Amino acid sequence: SERRGRERSHGVWQGRECDGAMAASELDNLILEMAMLMNSGEQDHGAEAARQLRVLSMDNRGDEQLRSQLGQSPLLLEGLLHLLGHGTDAARYWCCQCIVSLSHKHTQNQSTMAKYPGMMEAILEVLLHGSRLSRGAACSALVESTFRNAENALLVAKTPGLMHGVVSVMQNSVGDVRDDAAGVLRNCSNYSQEAAEVIVQTEGVLDALIEMCKGQHNSDRFTAMGTIQNLTRCESVAPLLCKTRVVADALIPALHSVGTGEEHDVMRAEALMAITNLATGEELKTLVA
């Protein structure tokens, strides 16, 4: 029922491992240097600074204190926000990857970064106007921000336009990018019933999920079906779903689909749970077979 974001490595600069040896003043200087580059207006420098920040976080993923200093630094947060709004597409890509890495298994960083004024709106702009790579990174950032975080799930769902942006990516992308976009909906619907209500009322969302369920790739179908199953668990949402074509066009066909592998089996199981959640007593009898 939950989804964690992907982290993709593209042979980035190998950052320094702090392993407790970096003095506080040295880290402060490094943060200041990266923040100045992000805000300098020099596009290539900004992208490189964001890339270095991501690698520094990755290389020290076991150092929670260091990652706290990076993920909650007002200087770096302002730098990331500036690049998301004014940087190149490459800079936006690396900024989103920073959010993924710094949020990973770090609840405080998750909350601080997601709530930073303007951050969600800046990510929305990447969803709407970025390249395939930066849109995918933006979806991964939202997936990681909402992983096991109910407050962030609701924040993402209620940010004006953000659900429409996610749906747009689902409708106009393929492969990992579309899968990550659906993963945003899956996390939000899993951790917040109020978010589930927002999702089901978002224009195009059910059509996009149904189309993914009909797809040829198990990962797409797996994520979309998990999202639908999450939605059916919400008491206020289930009656709305019964009035749609979700059961006929997505859930029943999933039960009869042919395939092998764990993702296929889980998808069928989630389809059955979803139908059960939506069915009345009489309708449940037809599921015995």
Side-chain angles (χ1 to χ4, degrees), residues 38-57:
M38 289 179 182
N39 288 288
S40 67
E42 294 288 339
Q43 300 285 7
D44 291 341
H45 291 168
E48 177 64 13
R51 189 164 69 107
Q52 291 183 12
L53 174 58
R54 189 258 187 172
V55 174
L56 183 62
S57 173

Side-chain angles (χ1 to χ4, degrees), residues 69-96:
Q69 290 176 273
L70 297 175
Q72 297 167 52
S73 164
L75 290 173
L76 292 179
L77 289 171
E78 184 59 33
L80 290 173
L81 183 63
H82 175 77
L83 286 179
L84 284 171
H86 305 286
T88 62
D89 194 73
R92 293 175 176 180
Y93 169 83
W94 286 116
C95 285
C96 291

